[in-house]
Amino acid sequence: KAGVTQTPRYLIKTRGQQVTLSCSPISGHRSVSWYQQTPGQGLQFLFEYFSETQRNKGNFPGRFSGRQFSNSRSEMNVSTLELGDSALYLCASSPDGSGTEAFFGQGTRLTVV
Amino acid sequence: GESVGLHLPTLSVQEGDNSIINCAYSNSASDYFIWYKQESGKGPQFIIDIRSNMDKRQGQRVTVLLNKTVKHLSLQIAATQPGDSAVYFCAENTSPVDNAGNMLTFGGGTRLMVKP
């Protein structure tokens, strides 16, 4: 079975721009969660999608948004980028929503300049 | 587990010794816990999980212990190998009880260094 696939692996954007990151979960998994990892704040939960609906949301501003498609693939979008948005963005895939194993992709390294 | 920021605690062990990595979690209502291993440049790799109705769970060379009384989790690695060198994170599922979701809160991580 293929693992969680995130694209692109690396991105460089300018302040004020917007960015869209993509995540393809493990086949058959319906829950997709997004996390931000920085040296200063560690791993922080952004949001979770299940059956195309956002089920949980972390404490991030509204500039961070996401969606999930009928095939469980997910995208997250960050608008009006700030320097502090530079981070590794990780996607995790779970079979369903009942507190089950969460498997991570390799992440997308976003650098805002 | 609360994020502790930039400076990761480091555990240095000799190859072949056993390692114990500890974690304090924050929510007494959490019912599911996971240990992850993260190598440089990679995403976290699932190691082992445990539910709150258990005190101990064993995998291949790894054991997780859960002490709900003091909200403490530990990961034991037997016969530590150089390939075990990485940062280890504990995570608790802090999703609200009524929505059965996946919402992991991570500890700050511990760097394990294995000396050959």
Side-chain angles (χ1 to χ4, degrees):
Chain A
K1 235 182 201 182
V4 180
T5 304
Q6 291 188 244
T7 56
R9 288 293 310 278
Y10 303 93
L11 266 178
I12 300 176
K13 290 287 188 177
T14 304
R15 271 183 302 174
Q17 288 186 313
Q18 67 92 27
V19 67
T20 299
L21 312 181
S22 179
C23 173
S24 293
I26 293 170
S27 178
H29 285 196
R30 296 192 295 160
S31 169
V32 174
S33 302
W34 289 89
Y35 294 81
Q36 181 195 65
Q37 186 174 26
T38 60
Q41 298 300 316
L43 276 151
Q44 293 189 297
F45 173 81
L46 280 156
F47 26 67
E48 181 209 8
Y49 286 88
F50 180 75
S51 294
E52 302 178 64
T53 301
Q54 185 182 87
R55 181 157 56 179
N56 281 301
K57 189 176 190 307
N59 295 324
F60 280 82
R63 300 185 297 107
F64 292 81
S65 63
R67 59 178 176 169
Q68 186 179 34
F69 302 95
S70 58
N71 62 357
S72 293
R73 190 177 70 83
S74 177
E75 290 180 345
M76 69 162 282
N77 184 278
V78 187
S79 63
T80 319
L81 284 165
E82 301 177 359
L83 295 179
D85 297 333
S86 295
L88 180 67
Y89 289 88
L90 292 157
C91 164
S93 147
S94 300
D96 55 34
S98 305
T100 55
E101 302 98 323
F103 299 96
F104 283 84
Q106 298 278 56
T108 294
R109 171 72 64 185
L110 172 65
T111 302
V112 182
V113 297
Chain B
E2 295 296 323
S3 176
V4 297
L6 187 60
H7 299 289
L8 294 176
T10 299
L11 174 65
S12 185
V13 301
Q14 203 69 40
E15 180 179 359
D17 287 351
N18 296 334
S19 303
I20 300 177
I21 301 171
N22 296 303
C23 175
Y25 63 91
S26 58
N27 189 342
S28 57
S30 294
D31 62 356
Y32 181 64
F33 305 86
I34 307 176
W35 278 100
Y36 287 95
K37 170 186 180 184
Q38 188 174 27
E39 297 173 285
S40 181
K42 297 184 177 180
Q45 176 189 348
F46 179 96
I47 301 174
I48 191 168
D49 60 357
I50 189 167
R51 297 198 178 275
S52 59
N53 61 354
M54 303 173 70
D55 297 323
K56 178 179 179 178
R57 189 158 189 236
Q58 288 184 287
Q60 189 174 13
R61 280 202 309 119
V62 295
T63 300
V64 55
L65 299 177
L66 175 62
N67 185 330
K68 295 180 285 293
T69 302
V70 295
K71 294 189 288 185
H72 184 268
L73 203 62
S74 69
L75 176 71
Q76 300 177 359
I77 305 173
T80 314
Q81 303 167 0
D84 295 327
S85 295
V87 177
Y88 289 80
F89 294 95
C90 66
E92 58 183 306
N93 187 7
T94 49
S95 178
V97 173
D98 60 351
N99 78 4
N102 293 297
M103 178 175 167
L104 296 177
T105 297
F106 282 82
T110 296
R111 186 179 307 281
L112 176 64
M113 296 177 60
V114 183
K115 296 176 285 187

